[in-house]
Amino acid sequence: MKASVPAVAVWGRTAPSHSITAVMITDDQQTIVTGSQEGQICLWDLSSDLQISSKEILFGHTASVTCLAKARE
């Protein structure tokens, strides 16, 4: 049985164009990484005054991205 994962919106009036299903913040707290129900991964810049701006969008997954993890060095 396939479990349904609800989308989560974390932005106010300017939400990204994808349904966010996973969120990760980098150790330096300058980049937010989101995974989407549509299979996209987006990178967002986070400024010191908590302003968020889009940086990159990665395509290629054929299923929803429901989990994000960082690689070790």
Side-chain angles (χ1 to χ4, degrees), residues 16-58:
S17 60
H18 69 183
S19 303
I20 296 172
T21 53
V23 176
M24 183 182 79
I25 299 176
T26 57
D27 289 339
D28 63 6
Q29 298 181 347
Q30 294 182 359
T31 303
I32 297 173
V33 183
T34 59
S36 76
Q37 199 166 18
E38 295 79 14
Q40 303 161 349
I41 295 176
C42 292
L43 305 178
W44 307 86
D45 283 326
L46 179 61
S47 68
S48 58
D49 60 344
L50 302 180
Q51 294 297 312
I52 299 169
S53 58
S54 60
K55 182 176 180 180
E56 259 182 280
I57 187 165
L58 309 171

